[in-house]
Amino acid sequence: MPNAFFMASVILQNSEEDSYSLSEKEIKLLTAEIDRLKNFGCLGVSPSLEALREENTKLKYRLNFLRKSLLDERNKPVKSMININGRLQKLFGEAIKAAYPDLENPPLAVTPSQQPKFGDYQCNSAMGITQMLQKTKEQKVNPREIADNIVKNIPDNECIAKVEIAGPGFINVHLREDFVSKQLSNLLVNGVQPPAIEKRKKVVVDFSSPNIAKEMHVGHLRSTIIGDSMCRLFEFVGYDVLRLNHLGDWGTQFGMLIAHLQDKFPDYLTVSPPIGDLQAFYKESKRRFDTEEEFKKRAYQCVVLLQSKNPDFIKAWKLICDVSRKEFQKIYDCLHITLIERGESYYQDMMKDIVQEFEERGFVQVDDGRKIVFVPGCSVPLTIMKSDGGFTYDTSDLAALKQRLFEEKADIVVYVVDSGQSVHLQTVFAAAQMIGWYDPKVTRVVHAAFGVVLGEDKKKFKTRSGDTVRLIDLLDEGLKRSMDKLKDKERDKVLTAEELKAAQTSVAFGCIKYADLSHNRMNDYIFSFDKMLDDRGNTAAYLLYAFTRIRAIARLANIDEEMLQKAAREADLILDHEKEWKLGKCILRFPEILQKILDDLLLHTLCDYLYELATTFTEFYDNCYCVEKDRQTGKIVKVNMWRMLLCEATAAVMAKGFDILGIKPVQKM
């Protein structure tokens, strides 16, 4: 059942947006009416001048009243955090449309300014419009003149203090201090809230996806971490998220596993087999499959009996799956990952219908007994049925996508799968569009590809013996190294055993996750414990220590949560110092950072932002006293409450950022 509070928020937001659009329409109608009344000749009768003036005055009053009401409506406090960049883009979009109504899709570029002397944000659309006018209208116009026309048409608003035109046509935007202060107060009173969204979307995220009877290795790390973080972001903004684990739990390999199970544990139907090491069990069965012809034949027979749903063979299959499932869960528990298991076996009964649908639509060709589908623009065809009548990964993936689109009614489907699967997935997506399952303009189906994990030698990450690194071993090594790091800093002497254990887990798993997420997922990245545990630079170790220090400021000043909440409701946030202003603006960029990630699914942007926020806070703290103490006695003589509130706002945004990244900070470290 949808969250009632969320639904109410959406209805309220939509009704407010409707009232904006209705008021704006009425303003336009009244403006047109005033223009009509100014033109005496357009009237069918000749009214007296006094009556005309009276009518004009009434309309102007109504127009001003509506404009004021619209501005008041926009200024009403809302719980959602405002995306300032988005708000400015809307204002400049309206200004450009008013200044150049004949231009179709004019460029709209609003970005945060890199230097304070150029204001807080910058609109760089004038140069693009110059080129557009020259190309489409053959008009040569100075970009500064275009910038001036844009500025003249900026609607009344609550956020811009002033604009300046600089250089060839850059529009520098200075925010109003009371606007920034008000947004920070809203954040402190309401907590870190998601930016407003148009509608609640259904999102399916396919991630992690290990294979049964094989251990999770370092290659599964990226999909698991990236997919979980994407889900957390979608969930935070209010989407309905289905976290799917597309396990490799079906196929010919189960024939050899079941045959080996029958030989090694013949009473498996009545006595649960003590399979301790499933990886070794798999290797034994694979060796027999490759070397024993009789075993190989029996393995194929087992596959046929499994696919025909023979109860004994289904039980054997479930036993093997359960052993794997328990091992996978140990990893997921360590990393605080939640998933719904829906492996390849889930889609088996749908595959026959998939083949039939493609045949009926005339898309199937027969090639050497195989049924294949050629997709326009794709170099490799899909094989939807083998010559022996069996189905393939292509059939399974088509069935999974159709189920997600039609049964789950997904608005967004994300596949967090390595880059090596790009050609395959793009072909599956193109086939789904070709047969009419979805329109990419309406439904978003995307492959969130990622590169491989490299060792410090810049080769594929492996053990010294050349084997793939087991994920559980990697996590254990992380725990060991994080404890060593904490002891090097002598934290074991000041923390209780429980606090030390919590810090160890936070640092170990936080650093492993952050090291992955802080890199552009499309690139390969080098796995290095030394770098990820370094508490200098853009690492989880640095950010976790910074967060702990920020949280400690209020505690050391004897200020509790209730006092901070009271101050947030009553005190004005003063942003006179340049470092206060810089920090306040940085805090409020959080919603626009999240919006960018929702658009491109690149999570390193959030990591970069959190690092920028932490370093901006350090600048502020080094230059602005939050708590002043007597130098002789050390007694607190003054607390700057508005600066304490800036500390609290910084910590709140960092905490939410950590939560989206799946990182668990601790109170003491």
Side-chain angles (χ1 to χ4, degrees):
M1 180 181 287
N3 181 287
F5 176 76
F6 172 83
M7 296 300 291
S9 300
V10 170
I11 291 165
L12 176 62
Q13 176 199 330
N14 289 341
S15 65
E16 287 173 348
E17 287 174 354
D18 290 344
S19 68
Y20 291 164
S21 57
L22 286 171
S23 300
E24 286 167 347
K25 282 177 186 173
E26 197 167 349
I27 287 169
K28 285 177 184 175
L29 288 170
L30 288 171
T31 305
E33 182 69 7
I34 290 169
D35 290 340
R36 188 180 70 79
L37 288 171
K38 284 178 183 175
N39 185 357
F40 296 167
C42 76
L43 298 173
V45 294
S46 300
S48 68
L49 189 59
E50 278 304 312
L52 191 64
R53 281 177 176 161
E54 188 178 342
E55 182 69 15
N56 201 7
T57 302
K58 285 178 183 177
L59 285 169
K60 280 185 175 177
Y61 173 80
R62 177 70 180 153
L63 181 63
N64 288 331
F65 175 78
L66 278 169
R67 279 179 172 153
K68 185 176 183 303
S69 298
L70 187 60
L71 197 58
D72 289 343
E73 192 70 29
R74 282 177 170 158
N75 284 336
K76 271 170 56 175
V78 290
K79 284 204 168 185
S80 296
M81 287 182 73
I82 289 176
N83 179 342
I84 296 174
N85 195 315
R87 178 66 60 88
L88 292 174
Q89 285 195 31
K90 187 175 181 185
L91 291 170
F92 277 99
E94 290 175 14
I96 291 167
K97 192 172 182 181
Y100 300 96
D102 297 333
L103 276 185
E104 195 173 330
N105 296 322
L108 179 60
V110 180
T111 56
S113 296
Q114 298 303 308
Q115 297 182 48
K117 65 180 179 180
F118 297 134
D120 304 310
Y121 283 82
Q122 207 169 58
C123 176
N124 303 331
S125 297
M127 284 71 76
I129 292 172
T130 300
Q131 293 173 353
M132 204 171 183
L133 287 171
Q134 199 166 339
K135 196 175 287 183
T136 59
K137 310 278 186 184
E138 296 185 353
Q139 295 177 10
K140 285 192 175 181
V141 188
N142 188 316
R144 282 188 71 94
E145 185 183 328
I146 290 171
D148 189 52
N149 285 340
I150 293 170
V151 168
K152 285 176 182 173
N153 283 280
I154 295 173
D156 292 339
N157 63 86
E158 78 287 19
C159 53
I160 298 176
K162 65 174 181 176
V163 292
E164 299 165 333
I165 299 170
F170 300 115
I171 303 172
N172 296 334
V173 180
H174 297 261
L175 296 175
R176 287 174 53 163
E177 188 176 320
D178 61 342
F179 170 76
V180 172
S181 179
K182 182 181 175 183
Q183 301 316 311
L184 289 167
S185 294
N186 287 346
L187 183 158
L188 288 158
V189 171
N190 299 319
V192 181
Q193 298 294 326
I197 56 172
E198 290 177 8
K199 70 163 190 168
R200 193 179 196 211
K201 294 181 179 179
K202 176 68 178 281
V203 185
V204 174
V205 183
D206 176 329
F207 69 106
S208 193
S209 309
N211 291 312
I212 293 292
K214 292 183 180 179
E215 287 189 284
M216 289 180 74
H217 55 75
V218 71
H220 295 110
L221 183 68
R222 298 209 75 184
S223 177
T224 305
I225 289 171
I226 294 166
D228 176 61
S229 188
M230 284 182 186
C231 290
R232 288 170 178 271
L233 174 58
F234 287 133
E235 286 159 354
F236 174 60
V237 299
Y239 291 166
D240 178 13
V241 181
L242 181 59
R243 298 158 158 260
L244 287 187
N245 196 1
H246 190 77
L247 288 177
D249 67 350
W250 200 255
T252 54
Q253 75 272 25
F254 282 94
M256 66 183 191
L257 288 165
I258 292 170
H260 190 51
L261 180 73
Q262 289 172 332
D263 292 344
K264 199 161 184 179
F265 305 103
D267 57 350
Y268 74 91
L269 288 171
T270 54
V271 180
S272 183
I275 304 173
D277 188 342
L278 193 56
Q279 183 84 351
F281 186 86
Y282 178 87
K283 286 179 179 178
E284 286 170 16
S285 64
K286 183 72 170 72
R287 189 186 70 251
R288 292 185 68 191
F289 184 83
D290 292 338
T291 59
E292 300 176 25
E293 196 60 36
E294 193 59 39
F295 179 82
K296 190 173 188 177
K297 285 178 185 175
R298 197 153 55 86
Y300 281 130
Q301 290 169 356
C302 289
V303 172
V304 173
L305 288 164
L306 175 64
Q307 290 178 341
S308 64
K309 308 286 180 69
N310 179 293
D312 290 352
F313 287 81
I314 289 291
K315 181 166 185 180
W317 169 72
K318 284 181 176 177
L319 284 169
I320 292 165
C321 289
D322 285 343
V323 175
S324 274
R325 202 173 280 120
K326 286 171 187 171
E327 294 303 311
F328 297 158
Q329 197 56 47
K330 290 176 186 175
I331 304 283
Y332 297 140
D333 288 344
C334 278
L335 297 173
H336 299 285
I337 308 289
T338 56
L339 292 128
I340 291 174
E341 183 187 310
R342 197 174 285 176
E344 291 166 13
S345 60
Y346 183 86
Y347 306 100
Q348 288 305 300
D349 295 340
M350 306 173 194
M351 294 194 201
K352 187 179 176 183
D353 293 339
I354 295 294
V355 175
Q356 187 178 335
E357 185 175 353
F358 274 89
E359 284 181 322
E360 288 173 354
R361 295 289 300 277
F363 292 126
V364 174
Q365 295 181 29
V366 179
D367 176 53
D368 198 22
R370 298 178 305 141
K371 291 183 178 180
I372 61 173
V373 174
F374 282 96
V375 184
C378 299
S379 56
V380 182
L382 295 171
T383 300
I384 59 172
M385 184 176 277
K386 295 186 288 188
S387 56
D388 63 3
F391 300 119
T392 68
Y393 287 123
D394 294 350
T395 334
S396 172
D397 286 338
L398 284 167
L401 179 54
K402 186 177 183 184
Q403 191 276 337
R404 292 161 186 181
L405 293 169
F406 287 86
E407 292 183 29
E408 302 299 342
K409 295 181 170 45
D411 300 294
I412 303 171
V413 185
V414 183
Y415 289 78
V416 187
V417 183
D418 69 86
S419 302
Q421 298 295 316
S422 290
V423 172
H424 166 68
L425 286 173
Q426 293 310 321
T427 309
V428 169
F429 300 164
Q433 289 174 49
M434 178 180 76
I435 204 166
W437 289 350
Y438 77 98
D439 178 354
K441 292 176 183 174
V442 178
T443 305
R444 185 182 181 191
V445 180
V446 60
H447 175 205
F450 56 85
V452 300
V453 182
L454 304 176
E456 294 190 69
D457 58 359
K458 297 186 180 177
K459 294 178 182 176
K460 212 164 182 180
F461 194 34
K462 292 189 180 291
T463 63
R464 287 180 183 174
S465 61
D467 293 330
T468 304
V469 179
R470 297 192 329 156
L471 193 45
I472 195 71
D473 293 341
L474 192 78
L475 298 179
D476 287 343
E477 179 69 12
L479 285 168
K480 179 184 173 300
R481 294 209 184 202
S482 67
M483 181 58 80
D484 291 343
K485 184 80 176 178
L486 290 164
K487 286 181 177 177
D488 285 346
K489 296 171 78 72
E490 298 187 338
R491 303 311 295 161
D492 54 322
K493 294 179 181 176
V494 293
L495 299 176
T496 66
E498 191 178 340
E499 288 168 345
L500 186 65
K501 177 72 176 171
Q504 176 196 23
T505 306
S506 175
V507 171
F509 301 145
C511 286
I512 288 171
K513 288 183 179 184
Y514 192 86
D516 192 317
L517 296 168
S518 61
H519 291 84
N520 186 322
R521 64 172 162 76
M522 291 188 281
N523 300 332
D524 299 341
Y525 91 96
I526 295 169
F527 190 97
S528 167
F529 273 121
D530 290 338
K531 285 181 181 175
M532 65 178 67
L533 289 167
D534 194 341
D535 53 15
R536 297 163 298 178
N538 188 6
T539 66
Y542 168 76
L543 291 174
L544 286 166
Y545 286 125
F547 176 79
T548 305
R549 287 195 297 271
I550 296 168
R551 279 287 192 221
I553 293 168
R555 194 166 63 247
L556 294 171
N558 297 319
I559 295 174
D560 59 24
E561 186 72 27
E562 193 177 328
M563 293 166 71
L564 285 168
Q565 276 295 304
K566 186 173 185 293
R569 289 191 297 270
E570 298 172 1
D572 291 326
L573 267 84
I574 302 165
L575 304 169
D576 289 343
H577 195 286
E578 62 171 318
K579 300 300 181 185
E580 294 171 334
W581 181 246
K582 183 179 179 182
L583 178 60
K585 288 188 302 172
C586 189
I587 291 166
L588 295 180
R589 278 183 45 226
F590 188 56
E592 64 195 62
I593 296 296
L594 298 188
Q595 185 58 58
K596 183 180 184 304
I597 302 167
L598 288 171
D599 293 338
D600 61 24
L601 302 179
L602 295 172
L603 290 152
H604 70 275
T605 307
L606 177 56
C607 299
D608 292 343
Y609 166 75
L610 291 175
Y611 180 62
E612 181 188 345
L613 181 59
T615 53
T616 303
F617 178 84
T618 300
E619 284 180 35
F620 154 78
Y621 194 68
D622 289 346
N623 288 274
C624 303
Y625 285 114
C626 297
V627 181
E628 295 181 39
K629 295 181 179 180
D630 185 287
R631 291 187 178 181
Q632 267 80 40
T633 63
K635 187 179 177 182
I636 295 171
V637 293
K638 184 181 178 184
V639 174
N640 292 292
M641 190 53 80
W642 73 91
R643 289 178 177 169
M644 293 302 298
L645 290 173
L646 279 174
C647 295
E648 178 64 15
T650 303
V653 168
M654 286 185 75
K656 180 47 68 178
F658 285 146
D659 185 57
I660 291 169
L661 297 175
I663 294 171
K664 306 283 182 187
V666 290
Q667 288 296 321
K668 293 184 180 179
M669 189 173 289

